[in-house]
Amino acid sequence: MRVLVAEDEEILAELVATGLRRAGFAVDTVYSGDAALAYLGLHDYDVVVLDRDLPRVHGDDVARRLVATGSRTKILMLTASGTMEDRVEGLDLGADDYVTKPFEFPELVSRVRALRRRSARPVPPQLERYGIRLDSVRRAATRDGRDLDLSPKEFTVLQLLLEADGAAVSAEELLERAWDANADPFTGAVRVCMSKLRAKLGEPALIRTVQGVGYAL
């Protein structure tokens, strides 16, 4: 759900980030290897889309350091070279998948989703609780057969609550998993999103506030 795009071509990086956000991911972008290492040290990412040819710290070195720390973040390596030798070298560095430029964007989104599923606790593609049915593949949600017109952020928050299987999820965790690094923790973004989600779910109310802990279904 949370992705870091590390790509030195800024226009390409922002295009990839925009597309991934439209697919429902929280995305941060950096343009150098040292910045990638800094962000990876600060935030818990499911996937890093990593260009091999990064300035200051090479993408290969970023991959090596990430693997050496035992991080659960999956690595999708990007490169302009599509030779078998380069692909093998990238995978040997610890990359979990490999995409060559130019690439078809739907394929990139699909590969990121696949890596995210491998990085997280296994959950079924369809989640159901209290009449809510959420399909994480089709990005669709219903309650008692009624379509819920959810924004990408609302969908992600609902998915996190369903995956928690009745346990409370803190506002801090929701902010970490569903928003990018530019989100201000003092803006009340989680509270506003939760209010809109509750309204769309309708009555009887399903999301409860657990005082001092967070939110639960």
Side-chain angles (χ1 to χ4, degrees):
M1 290 183 189
R2 188 160 190 180
V3 180
L4 177 66
V5 175
E7 165 63 60
D8 66 325
E9 297 179 35
E10 295 189 19
I11 294 177
L12 176 60
E14 295 307 323
L15 286 173
V16 170
T18 298
L20 289 173
R21 290 185 186 113
R22 288 174 179 168
F25 295 98
V27 186
D28 297 323
T29 54
V30 293
Y31 314 116
S32 64
D34 55 341
L37 288 171
Y39 271 61
L40 288 164
L42 287 172
H43 305 290
D44 182 18
Y45 292 99
D46 296 295
V47 179
V48 55
V49 179
L50 180 65
D51 181 32
R52 287 192 73 178
D53 192 22
L54 289 174
R56 294 200 283 276
V57 177
H58 197 274
D60 290 358
D61 292 324
V62 174
R64 289 190 187 97
R65 296 190 201 181
L66 192 59
V67 171
T69 63
S71 172
R72 293 177 58 188
T73 301
K74 299 299 182 183
I75 302 171
L76 176 61
M77 193 167 276
L78 296 179
T79 182
S81 176
T83 66
M84 179 176 292
E85 291 79 7
D86 280 328
R87 288 198 296 270
V88 170
E89 184 180 359
L91 294 170
D92 284 344
L93 288 168
D96 299 281
D97 202 353
Y98 203 96
V99 174
T100 58
K101 303 175 186 177
F103 51 82
E104 296 293 331
F105 196 78
E107 179 186 4
L108 179 69
V109 172
S110 178
R111 287 174 180 264
V112 170
R113 282 188 176 135
L115 289 178
R116 187 265 164 184
R117 289 193 293 269
R118 288 164 53 187
S119 72
R121 175 176 59 86
V123 293
Q126 290 193 6
L127 299 166
E128 293 188 49
R129 192 177 182 88
Y130 299 131
I132 297 174
R133 175 175 292 180
L134 182 145
D135 188 325
S136 61
V137 176
R138 294 183 175 84
R139 303 289 296 177
T142 62
R143 180 179 182 183
D144 299 327
R146 173 176 60 88
D147 289 336
L148 300 173
D149 185 19
L150 303 181
S151 71
K153 200 73 66 183
E154 292 159 359
F155 186 94
T156 300
V157 169
L158 180 59
Q159 182 175 353
L160 289 168
L161 292 174
L162 286 167
E163 288 180 359
D165 197 24
V169 183
S170 69
E172 291 78 13
E173 183 177 353
L174 290 171
L175 195 66
E176 172 70 20
R177 305 306 298 161
W179 277 262
D180 60 32
N182 294 319
D184 186 341
F186 301 106
T187 60
V190 173
R191 178 177 51 78
V192 171
C193 180
M194 199 64 68
S195 176
K196 292 180 179 179
L197 179 57
R198 281 171 163 153
K200 290 183 179 181
L201 289 175
E203 297 294 336
L206 293 179
I207 299 175
R208 58 190 175 91
T209 300
V210 182
Q211 195 65 32
V213 180
Y215 303 91
L217 279 174

